[in-house]
Amino acid sequence: MIVQKHAGETFREVIDRAYAARRLTNASYSLRAFARDLGISAELLSAVLRGTRGLSRKSALAVAMGLKFSEEDSRYFCDLVDALHARDATTRRLASLRTASAQTQVVHSYGLDVFRLVSDWYHLGILELLATKGFRSDSAWIASRLGVEAEEIDAAVERLQRLELMTIDVTGAWRPLGDFVAGPDGISSDAVRKFHAQIITRALESLQTQALHERDVSSLVMAFDPADMGEAKKLIRDFRRSFEQKLARKNPPDRVYCLGMQFFRLDRDA
């Protein structure tokens, strides 16, 4: 399982999301069965989720192992526990600093096999709509906002839940489980090409359908040494992340936008 990091989250929320994800595939999966799989008692798990008990470092490690976290995610989860329940104030403070740093650097990166499942652009469109003002947990409403069929939205929502990128809570409300998603970097495939082709097509449509105050389309033509391509890709990647962190949640959003950048060769060998 991949830990989906959220600003200000607690270890209880991580456990609760994991339980909800398992119940999506098995509605009869009980809290007692979940506790058994985590290697702790059902009584302790119930008290932890209610907020009346904490976890020791030993129990936190057991839970991380039961959830099959990677070594990095296990450290993050244990830091979440220590930030609240470590006996030493210095340990709590340092753990809080580490978790805060991890939460501001979240990129959910998926391999090619997983990316193929969400390579149609509207999967990311759905995730971003979840954060907008006036969002409706309704496929028909989302379909009208994104300009696709409601049946495609239904299928996409099912995939996004299965991949733990969003969840539907007990009240029926749709909630995201991540900040933004990165596809496989440096890999050429039909899925990756399809995604980028769809985005470029949408950008071309915006030139004809959107007013100038709604969009910004610009280009830079320059002489370039191909030996610098690695550095160029890093600068573009860093800019995308900085742009998202500074602007995407600055104010309560009510629209979904796409930042598309193309940097490619214009000339040909003679």
Side-chain angles (χ1 to χ4, degrees), residues 10-30:
T10 68
F11 73 93
R12 292 183 177 88
E13 292 172 295
V14 175
I15 297 173
D16 191 52
R17 288 201 302 270
Y19 180 49
R22 295 191 182 196
R23 283 184 57 82
L24 279 176
T25 58
N26 181 6
S28 63
Y29 188 71
S30 67

Side-chain angles (χ1 to χ4, degrees), residues 130-185:
L130 294 175
T132 59
K133 292 184 294 185
F135 174 79
R136 302 180 193 174
S137 300
D138 177 75
S139 296
W141 181 84
I142 295 172
S144 68
R145 287 292 301 268
L146 297 181
V148 299
E149 296 296 325
E151 291 78 7
E152 293 177 311
I153 298 299
D154 287 333
V157 167
E158 182 181 343
R159 293 186 199 102
L160 292 169
Q161 290 182 86
R162 191 165 65 247
L163 295 172
E164 299 182 21
L165 290 172
M166 66 165 284
T167 187
I168 299 178
D169 65 24
V170 293
T171 68
W174 299 10
R175 295 191 296 108
L177 292 178
D179 295 319
F180 63 106
V181 181
D185 191 24

Side-chain angles (χ1 to χ4, degrees), residues 81 111 146 222 247 251:
V81 173
L146 297 181
M222 60 180 288
L247 295 178
N251 297 304

